[in-house]
Amino acid sequence: VKLSASPIKSFICQVCSTQHANLIIAPLCAAGMNAAVRATVRVGIYTGAKVYFVHEGYQGLVDGGDNIKPATWESVSMMLQLGGTVIGSARCMDFKEKWGRLKAACNLVKLGITNLCVIGGDGSLTGANQFRTEWSELLADLIKQGKITAEEAKRSSHLNIVGMVGSIDNDFCGTDMTIGTDSALHRIIEVVDAITTTSFVMPDCVCMRVRVCVCVHLCAHVSVRACVCINIAVCPHSYLALVTALACGADWVFIPEMPPEDNWEEHLCKRLIAQRERGSRLNVIIMAEGAQDRKQKPITCDQVKNLVSKKLGFDTRSTILGHVQRGGTPSAFDRILGSRMGVEAVMALLEATPETPACVVSLSGNMAIRLPLMECVQVTKDVTVAMAEGRFEDAVNLRGKSFQNNWNTYKMLAHVNPPEVKSNINIAIVNVGAPCAGMNAAVRSAVRAGLIQGHQMLAIHDGFDGLANGQIEPITWAQVGGWTGKGGSNLGTKRNLPGKNIEQISLNIAKFNIHSLIIIGGFEAYLGGLELVTAREKYEELCIPMVVIPATVSNNVPGSDFSIGADTALNTITMTCDRIKQSAAGTKRRVFIIETMGGYCGYLATMAGLSSGADAAYIYEEPFHIHDLELNVVHLIEKMKTSVKRGLILRNSNANDNYTTQFLYNLYSEEGKGTFDCRMNILGHMQQGGTPTPFDRNFGTKMGAKSVLWLTDKLKECYRHGRIFANTPDSACVLGMKRRSLIFQPLTSLKEDTDFEHRIPKTEWWLKLRPILKILARYEAVEIDTSEVAAMEHIIKKTGEIKGGKI
């Protein structure tokens, strides 16, 4: 669809997370909402629409006046990095009453506004849908009261509605993630990391208490009997609690959707003792608000604290973390999510007709899609109903595949003990290529999942060189404790491929009796896996199942939309760009040229451009010439005439052999003389380091566990005549995320989709996002593809199948 001028008038009303009643709006907010506001405003203006802000949510809609103001392109500048919402939100009881909605309708009609974009939770969106449903009735009442004319009513004969979900709880069924959830996880993990680290070194605990909806109770003591009990209240859904448990390797998690079995107190104590016996110095327990047992009796933090203290003698302390989760700088993911949803929301309004039902913009894998609003709201409510009726399995299923996968992975790693009878299977793990955040999480998960299956797990140090040199040793449960939150590669890693060491590698595979191999790394891991598969013809020892887990900041491994480590690198770049842009706030008239990592893959440059509000991002996949550079310079010169007197240009490290970062700096400096000056920054290896983000921790954890389960099944298939022999293409795979699923694809089948010279896949999904970057930077004549559609399976299954509380 080519965006062109349109007479449509757009309107932004922002309200936030809601309570269960249809029209009661709670004044809560989530990081990333400003990105959605910015995108909606700019794309609306880009299409020729007149866009309005409504300040203070529905209350501003009812009160009208100065609360409803026109938005401009410049009015949404420098807001990507701001948490909360710059246009405000407020609890509005007036909108619950019909007289309040009459006033709101009158204000819209007088301004000629017929399109409403609402950012909030299910209550806010339900209220918007009711407003739309009774629109004709409201107009008729206003005519009778003489507040509007028949002509005005005719011009505003119907109201189009589109919603975006802004909520840190990620409790809205129909979308993989809601705006604000990832940022909230960042805040939680930062605090949990800090307090659990403190518990290892301080003789007494640090105690904070801030009372609010999302809270963290922490109890820590340095002694060998230390225990951390964390209560995360998420009203009453449990995504944050569950994902936090995965990200920090918690020993136990209480969530209302899946209460513990009867006699849980004894099981919990046994679990904590077992962890101590394996060498753990610290126990972590996560609790969600609304935690309950199978009889729906509440389980409180104090109850668990007292149980652990009295029965096991572990000293505990508590800390409640409050609004920290809702505030702070939005993560890169939330900025991109908000931007994509804002664009899709405008497209939905442009295409809406009076017959079009109200829709909500959702995230399905890596696609922004539209779903019927009230169907999603109904399934969201059905989760609460299922819990109230004790149908806990149904509640988990209704939450969707992502929640199910998180829960199943957590259960396996935390609630299943290694068997006493071993399998006599040896699985080796090796890290290959450059280090990245999240590698250790994948290793930890794979090791523990393997031990749970009864296998012996072997650690190979220093990549394929270590495999050739025999740097191989068993690795235990306790050895990988605490690895989830550590950056880099604890096993050590090198870029060297098997190559000339193939023979020695085959000998060591036989010597150490390795039955299968997990290769964690970037493009080198993929190439190394291919070399091992090719060498099977000559070396029978290499006929073992293998799996490659993509882990690289470049996100350039064929067969996967995402790689472990890319999210951490993206956040590092985004936060650095924020600081760099801020430095120009005082000096003004300055353009920054920033070089990112990624080799020939432009993923980091493109996504960082979206999350930081860049004016351009140069990448190899989208060739650029001197004419393009000239247009960019002219664009910045024009920009300096506005109130936004700064520029940000990103360049991928191998974007062009001739148009180097230094060349761009020289060009912009020369052409901008008298208008702006330039600065150049090469970010370098800082992009590979740092503490893993919650996404990379959880992604690595799920990938590691899934790879071991797949290898276990594959080993059974390949066991012939008393030995393991795997020589089929599907015995050596890449485990990758494609849209919404983790799937295994044979290494050899991915060769056709690989540009080996430039070390990138031939098909890269994120290239479709580049037009959004250009539109938001105010370039003209940009085409955007909105042809892809997808359906959420748990929403589809729900329709017509859940009746009377039964599936």
Side-chain angles (χ1 to χ4, degrees):
V1 179
K2 187 171 183 179
L3 296 180
S4 56
S6 168
I8 181 176
K9 289 193 175 182
S10 228
F11 157 84
I12 294 182
C13 172
Q14 178 158 357
V15 286
C16 303
S17 298
T18 65
Q19 298 183 12
H20 61 277
N22 284 347
L23 294 172
I24 298 178
I25 312 302
L28 304 178
C29 61
M33 283 184 165
N34 288 326
V37 172
R38 172 180 176 268
T40 308
V41 168
R42 291 194 166 179
V43 176
I45 293 173
Y46 186 89
T47 60
K50 187 173 183 181
V51 185
Y52 289 85
F53 284 138
V54 171
H55 295 271
E56 311 310 329
Y58 283 149
Q59 192 63 56
L61 194 60
V62 172
D63 294 342
D66 289 340
N67 289 304
I68 305 178
K69 296 179 179 179
T72 65
W73 193 279
E74 288 77 17
S75 66
V76 292
S77 295
M78 285 301 287
M79 61 190 297
L80 274 173
Q81 73 275 19
L82 301 179
T85 162
V86 297
I87 61 176
S89 179
R91 189 181 299 273
C92 179
M93 301 304 293
D94 295 346
F95 198 76
K96 183 180 179 182
E97 305 296 333
K98 187 172 182 179
W99 64 263
R101 297 193 295 279
L102 271 172
K103 289 183 66 178
C106 183
N107 290 328
L108 294 186
V109 170
K110 290 297 183 182
L111 290 170
I113 295 170
T114 57
N115 296 276
L116 181 64
C117 177
V118 180
I119 311 174
D122 61 325
S124 302
L125 301 180
T126 300
N129 185 69
Q130 179 169 348
F131 191 41
R132 174 186 180 275
T133 302
E134 63 182 16
W135 183 254
S136 297
E137 180 184 340
L138 294 174
L139 293 185
D141 289 347
L142 289 171
I143 293 174
K144 288 180 182 178
Q145 296 173 14
K147 294 184 177 179
I148 64 172
T149 66
E151 183 62 30
E152 287 175 324
K154 184 178 180 180
R155 288 198 301 266
S156 303
S157 59
H158 67 275
L159 179 69
N160 295 320
I161 292 288
V162 65
M164 291 180 271
V165 190
S167 167
I168 70 169
D169 301 332
N170 201 34
D171 58 354
F172 191 84
C173 293
T175 184
D176 290 349
M177 287 286 276
T178 57
I179 299 170
T181 301
D182 189 65
S183 299
L185 285 170
H186 277 252
R187 303 293 92 78
I188 295 170
I189 293 301
E190 287 168 8
V191 173
V192 173
D193 282 351
I195 296 183
T196 52
T197 301
T198 301
S199 70
F200 279 101
V201 295
M202 290 183 63
D204 295 304
C205 73
V206 178
C207 184
M208 295 190 315
R209 186 174 182 85
V210 182
R211 180 94 178 157
V212 82
C213 175
V214 181
C215 47
V216 177
H217 294 259
L218 296 139
C219 337
H221 197 280
V222 195
S223 69
V224 232
R225 299 178 174 236
C227 178
V228 177
C229 179
I230 303 167
N231 178 3
I232 299 180
V234 287
C235 317
H237 302 285
S238 312
Y239 182 86
L240 291 180
L242 179 55
V243 174
T244 299
L246 272 175
C248 69
D251 299 291
W252 199 281
V253 63
F254 291 93
I255 60 173
E257 288 93 338
M258 188 54 70
E261 300 293 337
D262 295 337
N263 200 25
W264 60 267
E265 296 92 341
E266 183 178 341
H267 294 309
L268 170 60
C269 291
K270 286 181 178 179
R271 175 68 184 172
L272 300 182
I273 292 171
Q275 289 295 87
R276 293 305 173 88
E277 291 174 348
R278 295 193 186 107
S280 174
R281 291 189 59 196
L282 179 70
N283 297 120
V284 178
I285 302 170
I286 306 290
M287 295 189 67
E289 184 182 52
Q292 58 185 350
D293 60 19
R294 290 275 163 175
K295 298 175 182 177
Q296 300 187 26
K297 181 180 178 182
I299 300 174
T300 66
C301 185
D302 287 340
Q303 181 183 350
V304 175
K305 240 185 8 173
N306 294 334
L307 170 69
V308 174
S309 298
K310 293 177 180 178
K311 194 163 185 178
L312 301 180
F314 295 172
D315 194 13
T316 61
R317 301 290 186 272
S318 65
T319 300
I320 302 176
L321 183 64
H323 271 92
V324 170
Q325 283 93 328
R326 294 194 178 278
T329 301
S331 67
F333 179 89
D334 273 332
R335 301 185 196 194
I336 295 168
L337 177 62
S339 298
R340 295 183 66 187
M341 286 189 169
V343 173
E344 189 67 24
V346 174
M347 298 302 298
L349 289 174
L350 285 170
E351 299 168 8
T353 67
E355 292 74 34
T356 304
C359 73
V360 61
V361 178
S362 302
L363 181 72
S364 176
N366 55 33
M367 295 189 301
I369 63 168
R370 307 170 205 169
L371 293 173
L373 170 59
M374 294 315 296
E375 186 180 324
C376 297
V377 169
Q378 184 57 52
V379 180
T380 302
K381 292 178 178 178
D382 287 343
V383 175
T384 304
V385 172
M387 288 190 290
E389 296 177 353
R391 297 182 290 110
F392 301 114
E393 291 287 349
D394 291 352
V396 171
N397 291 335
L398 286 166
R399 289 299 305 273
K401 269 193 173 182
S402 177
F403 192 90
Q404 293 172 46
N405 291 336
N406 286 331
W407 173 243
N408 291 333
T409 302
Y410 175 76
K411 276 197 307 182
M412 181 182 67
L413 294 177
H415 287 252
V416 180
N417 294 317
E420 295 183 5
V421 180
K422 305 303 178 184
S423 65
N424 295 321
I425 293 295
N426 298 326
I427 299 179
I429 305 173
V430 61
N431 289 343
V432 178
C436 68
M439 274 185 165
N440 292 322
V443 172
R444 169 191 172 273
S445 174
V447 167
R448 292 194 169 180
L451 295 174
I452 288 170
Q453 297 296 315
H455 309 323
Q456 176 173 257
M457 303 303 293
L458 302 175
I460 301 171
H461 298 275
D462 298 333
F464 287 122
D465 287 357
L467 182 55
N469 297 329
Q471 296 173 246
I472 306 168
E473 63 180 7
I475 187 167
T476 65
W477 186 283
Q479 281 179 276
V480 295
W483 280 28
T484 304
K486 294 182 179 178
S489 168
N490 287 356
L491 294 184
T493 179
K494 290 186 177 179
R495 294 179 180 272
N496 297 336
L497 299 177
K500 59 184 179 182
N501 295 322
I502 284 284
E503 182 175 354
Q504 192 59 43
I505 286 175
S506 66
L507 291 174
N508 279 332
I509 286 177
K511 177 181 177 181
F512 288 90
N513 200 24
I514 296 173
H515 300 113
S516 59
L517 182 64
I518 299 175
I519 307 170
I520 303 173
F523 204 82
E524 291 86 357
Y526 169 68
L527 290 177
L530 279 175
E531 289 188 6
L532 294 178
V533 170
T534 303
R536 282 174 169 179
E537 297 178 1
K538 186 175 181 181
Y539 301 99
E540 191 175 299
E541 295 84 356
L542 299 178
C543 293
I544 59 174
M546 306 175 195
V547 61
V548 173
I549 298 179
T552 170
V553 302
S554 302
N555 196 32
N556 64 336
V557 179
S560 186
D561 292 341
F562 297 99
S563 296
I564 297 168
D567 186 67
T568 303
L570 177 58
N571 276 276
T572 299
I573 298 169
T574 301
M575 301 309 163
T576 304
C577 288
D578 286 348
R579 292 182 173 91
I580 289 173
K581 287 172 63 178
Q582 190 178 46
S583 71
T587 56
K588 302 189 184 302
R589 295 187 175 276
R590 180 162 290 173
V591 174
F592 294 93
I593 316 291
I594 299 175
E595 180 181 303
T596 67
M597 277 186 166
Y600 287 97
C601 180
Y603 175 82
L604 286 180
T606 297
M607 302 305 268
L610 275 171
S611 62
S612 60
D615 294 282
Y618 299 119
I619 63 172
Y620 167 78
E621 292 93 339
E622 190 175 276
F624 56 98
H625 307 285
I626 194 67
H627 177 66
D628 301 303
L629 298 179
E630 181 184 3
L631 289 176
N632 295 148
V633 171
V634 172
H635 169 79
L636 285 171
I637 291 174
E638 291 300 314
K639 186 178 181 181
M640 295 300 161
K641 297 176 182 178
T642 70
S643 60
V644 186
K645 302 182 185 301
R646 62 187 169 277
L648 181 66
I649 305 293
L650 299 182
R651 179 188 177 274
N652 187 48
S653 55
N654 291 349
N656 188 289
D657 291 338
N658 297 310
Y659 299 141
T660 62
T661 304
Q662 183 66 51
F663 175 89
L664 293 179
Y665 168 73
N666 294 337
L667 175 68
Y668 277 82
S669 297
E670 180 63 29
E671 298 299 324
K673 276 184 178 179
T675 305
F676 58 80
D677 60 0
C678 289
R679 295 292 185 273
M680 180 177 70
N681 293 269
I682 298 177
L683 302 185
H685 282 79
M686 66 180 294
Q687 298 161 82
Q688 288 183 346
T691 302
T693 59
F695 177 88
D696 279 331
R697 298 184 193 204
N698 291 312
F699 192 34
T701 297
K702 287 188 279 192
M703 296 277 271
K706 192 171 183 71
S707 66
V708 169
L709 296 178
W710 180 81
L711 286 173
T712 301
D713 292 337
K714 190 60 65 175
L715 285 166
K716 295 175 183 177
E717 294 178 17
C718 300
Y719 186 77
R720 304 170 188 169
H721 309 297
R723 68 190 185 100
I724 292 167
F725 186 79
N727 65 344
T728 58
D730 65 351
S731 64
C733 291
V734 169
L735 171 56
M737 176 180 281
K738 301 298 288 185
R739 296 197 173 176
R740 302 190 64 224
S741 304
L742 293 178
I743 62 174
F744 293 88
Q745 300 168 84
L747 285 163
T748 52
S749 71
L750 295 171
K751 292 169 72 173
E752 293 182 1
D753 189 42
T754 304
D755 179 349
F756 286 96
E757 179 184 356
H758 299 102
R759 298 161 60 90
I760 56 175
K762 293 180 181 178
T763 305
E764 295 172 303
W765 67 270
W766 50 266
L767 287 172
K768 293 184 178 181
L769 302 185
R770 287 188 60 79
I772 297 177
L773 190 156
K774 296 177 182 178
I775 290 172
L776 296 180
R778 210 171 194 173
Y779 286 91
E780 300 297 329
V782 180
E783 292 188 5
I784 182 169
D785 181 8
T786 60
S787 59
E788 285 195 330
V789 294
M792 305 290 287
E793 64 284 332
H794 65 288
I795 295 293
I796 300 303
K797 288 178 182 176
K798 182 265 169 192
T799 307
E801 293 185 15
I802 299 181
K803 296 179 181 178
K806 296 182 179 180
I807 296 183

